[in-house]
Amino acid sequence: MKCPICENEENNLTFIIKEMQIGLREEFEYIECSNCGCLFIKEIPKDIDKYYDTDYAPHLKPKSFNEIIFDKGSAIILSNSILSNLIPKEFVPPPFKINK
């Protein structure tokens, strides 16, 4: 099978790998390119969605800018000076202190 990166078709290795993330233990054939080392699945399953949790980040609806900046659970912390360069001043929250 042709490598999707370098298009090499010679001396590629084949591996049978079991799915272990969600516990279905189905077997899939993977190819490792002998030229560039790319590891790729030979055939993508038609029912690919069943192998990903519903909260898998790349499949989620993207958050708006405001949801990211003002989400209290977010790990993103921006200073007021950065925020004032990004959004209008009237929308920038006042500074806050963390009491110890």
Side-chain angles (χ1 to χ4, degrees):
M1 184 167 193
K2 188 186 288 189
C3 173
I5 303 298
C6 71
E7 300 185 350
N8 173 55
E9 294 184 72
E10 297 184 24
N11 303 316
N12 293 339
L13 299 173
T14 300
F15 298 92
I16 303 297
I17 301 174
K18 283 187 180 182
E19 179 286 317
M20 302 296 281
Q21 179 91 18
I22 58 175
L24 298 175
R25 302 197 189 296
E26 293 179 32
E27 293 183 346
F28 296 95
E29 193 171 350
Y30 282 80
I31 311 294
E32 181 181 18
C33 177
S34 63
N35 182 53
C36 72
C38 175
L39 182 67
F40 57 97
I41 193 164
K42 185 174 181 180
E43 186 176 326
I44 297 172
K46 289 181 178 36
D47 54 350
I48 192 76
D49 287 347
K50 82 176 191 179
Y51 301 100
Y52 294 92
D53 291 330
T54 55
D55 62 347
Y56 179 62
H59 294 177
L60 296 177
K61 176 185 166 244
K63 288 185 172 185
S64 71
F65 179 76
N66 284 342
E67 287 175 312
I68 293 169
I69 298 301
F70 297 109
D71 180 8
K72 291 181 182 175
S74 176
I76 298 173
I77 299 173
L78 298 173
S79 72
N80 280 339
S81 62
I82 294 171
L83 283 175
S84 64
N85 292 325
L86 298 174
I87 56 179
K89 205 169 207 135
E90 59 269 16
F91 294 110
V92 177
F96 62 91
K97 293 181 182 179
I98 299 175
N99 295 328
K100 289 187 178 187

